[in-house]
Amino acid sequence: MTPKHARTVLAGVGLLAVAGCAGVSPDAVPAAPESPSAHSGSASAPAQRPTTSASPGASASQSSSATPSLSPSATPTPTASATPTPSATPTPSVTPSASATPSPSTTPSPSASGKVLLKAGAEGEQVRELQHRLQQLAWFEGKITGNYGEATAASVRGFQAKRGLATTGEVDQKTWDQLVERTKKPTHDQMHNILRAGPALLKQGAKGDKVKDLQARLKQIGWFSGKVTDYYGTSTAAAVKEFQDKRGIPATGEVDARTLERLQSMTRKPTSDELNNVQPKVDTPKLDPRCMTGRAICISKATRSLSWVVDGKVLSTMDVRFGSELTPTREGAFQVNFKSRDHVSTLYHTEMPFALFFSGGQAVHYSADFAARGYNGASHGCVNVRNYDAVANLFNQARAGDKVIVYR
């Protein structure tokens, strides 16, 4: 069966030049706080800034150093030009040895800090490593190809804009160093899209409380239906297999460590009622008083929930997640400024379907990353929703001017 929240979202180009935000793994949290403009529409300019320099590392210091080198040659000093002293002979001999240093390989090194290490058109293992490191931080999607195309360049630009680097789409030493600092060196299998299943922790025929926990967690995210039992039968194996296939895990129908870790990151510990098939009582969430009049999108950070409220009546509730400590979701009373159904972030180059913008570049929107990773990640400040149908309905009902209340 296919869960509602896992639908494929058609990519569209946002008509409004708002930067926006998108889901990101914990490793993608920057090392230092960013300015508020990184989340607003004004931040989209750096991500699209044209590049006229052949080298992303061409700095003011380099351009100024070129001036003195031109000055002596232009000065008509007889002693400088007409005196071929022996000391001039060893000077050329030093030059080839210095220029030959970076030529043996393209591996980033401190001496190559001002040069382009990788750019569009490059191929090979170094590109594969780049793509996987970007993938670890949720900047690159899809299979690792080893070809530095537009998708890779866009991913690099997004990463650079996030880190306050020159958004060239080319990898210089500063870009590489920051990327390496935040990621792990990928294995050969990871760089070549080779998936290998680990030893089975649970498989068909197993019994006990661990099986009940597995079924209850799968049920939380819509992969398992029916009553929770303590037996790992064909229906459980089929649910596990579908869950694995959706997330790029070897689809064996058996639970290995990778499958269990991913499932646990997307779910919470099942309650006693969930484990014993007791229907829970539906409690109306306690809402901020500001949400009780008119039309309001009421967002609680304490319960990690969003409630769509009209005249004090809760019409729908959905799970949400927020920005990290360094890219927080703003709190306060706002309103829906505008809507963009198929929005694409101009700052992070990721999809933001059903975007309801309420504060600069921060918006309520569907997040495929939230649907896939759960609370194992964070946004860049937006309010992520993982229930596709719920946020689609909210988008259709909400209007510009409706209240947006974000509180703890």
Side-chain angles (χ1 to χ4, degrees), residues 116-304:
V116 174
L117 307 177
L118 292 169
K119 62 181 180 179
E123 297 182 353
E125 292 298 293
Q126 187 79 30
V127 178
R128 288 182 179 274
E129 181 177 349
L130 168 67
Q131 290 172 336
H132 194 277
R133 288 185 184 275
L134 289 167
Q135 192 177 75
Q136 290 177 44
L137 302 180
W139 285 109
F140 184 81
E141 297 180 352
K143 290 187 175 181
I144 306 301
T145 64
N147 297 317
Y148 201 126
E150 177 52 35
T152 305
S155 299
V156 171
R157 285 195 295 270
F159 175 79
Q160 289 171 326
K162 176 69 176 177
R163 307 300 163 197
L165 303 169
T167 53
T168 63
E170 299 177 343
V171 179
D172 59 5
Q173 190 66 45
K174 288 183 179 179
T175 300
W176 182 259
D177 287 345
Q178 291 209 26
L179 187 59
V180 169
E181 181 182 344
R182 290 168 170 80
T183 56
K184 297 179 180 179
K185 184 173 179 61
T187 65
H188 176 274
D189 285 0
Q190 289 172 327
M191 291 197 297
H192 290 267
N193 308 293
I194 300 173
L195 299 176
R196 304 179 192 275
L201 304 177
L202 290 171
K203 59 183 179 180
Q204 198 164 336
K207 294 181 179 181
D209 291 341
K210 290 184 178 180
V211 176
K212 294 178 71 174
D213 182 88
L214 168 68
Q215 292 174 344
R217 287 181 182 273
L218 288 168
K219 195 170 184 177
Q220 285 178 19
I221 53 177
W223 286 106
F224 184 80
S225 60
K227 291 186 175 182
V228 172
T229 70
D230 64 352
Y231 179 69
Y232 199 125
T234 54
S235 60
T236 305
V240 169
K241 189 172 183 179
E242 290 177 354
F243 173 83
Q244 291 169 324
D245 185 60
K246 178 65 179 177
R247 280 148 190 89
I249 300 172
T252 62
E254 300 178 349
V255 179
D256 60 3
R258 184 189 307 172
T259 303
L260 184 60
E261 180 180 353
R262 178 64 66 86
L263 181 60
Q264 289 176 339
S265 73
M266 294 177 61
T267 56
R268 52 176 168 72
K269 182 176 177 61
T271 65
S272 176
D273 286 351
E274 288 176 320
L275 293 171
N276 293 284
N277 304 294
V278 177
Q279 291 295 327
K281 295 180 180 179
V282 180
D283 295 325
T284 302
K286 185 176 180 180
L287 303 178
D288 186 284
R290 294 171 291 182
C291 301
M292 302 310 293
T293 58
R295 301 162 58 87
I297 298 174
C298 201
I299 303 168
S300 170
K301 286 188 173 181
T303 61
R304 295 192 294 192

Side-chain angles (χ1 to χ4, degrees), residues 297 334-339 356-358 398-402 404:
I297 298 174
F334 311 94
Q335 67 177 22
V336 176
N337 295 320
F338 60 89
K339 303 163 58 174
L356 298 166
F357 286 91
F358 62 87
R399 308 168 187 164
D402 287 347
V404 179

Side-chain angles (χ1 to χ4, degrees), residues 33-75:
E34 299 173 322
S35 64
S37 64
H39 308 292
S40 65
S42 62
S44 62
Q48 297 178 328
R49 183 172 54 208
T51 303
T52 57
S53 172
S55 170
S59 63
S61 62
Q62 291 173 316
S63 61
S64 62
S65 65
T67 303
S69 66
L70 291 174
S71 180
S73 62
T75 303

